[in-house]
Amino acid sequence: MSAEKTRCPICGKIAAELKLCKSCNKNFCKKCQSSSTNQDYCKECVSMEGVVSKS
């Protein structure tokens, strides 16, 4: 595992790990993950009404 860290394209902060959003295919850090769905969606997609189903 590399010690190199990458920058989150959503918040711009350095992160140890990034995930891939199931909706927009952007990488995002743990801080930018939507806590309301607890799934692999970024908070930007979840904030857009109708993009992500919460069920």
Side-chain angles (χ1 to χ4, degrees):
M1 180 178 230
S2 173
E4 186 177 327
K5 296 185 180 190
T6 54
R7 189 170 301 274
C8 174
I10 295 176
C11 69
K13 294 185 179 180
I14 301 293
E17 180 183 13
L18 297 176
K19 289 187 175 185
L20 187 65
C21 179
K22 291 180 182 180
S23 179
C24 68
N25 290 321
K26 281 187 189 176
N27 288 312
F28 62 91
C29 68
K30 185 171 183 160
K31 181 181 175 189
C32 292
Q33 181 173 9
S34 172
S35 58
S36 64
T37 63
N38 200 26
Q39 297 178 28
D40 289 342
Y41 294 106
C42 70
K43 63 184 181 181
E44 288 182 341
C45 286
V46 173
S47 70
M48 291 186 287
E49 188 176 323
V51 173
V52 177
S53 171
K54 291 184 181 182
S55 57

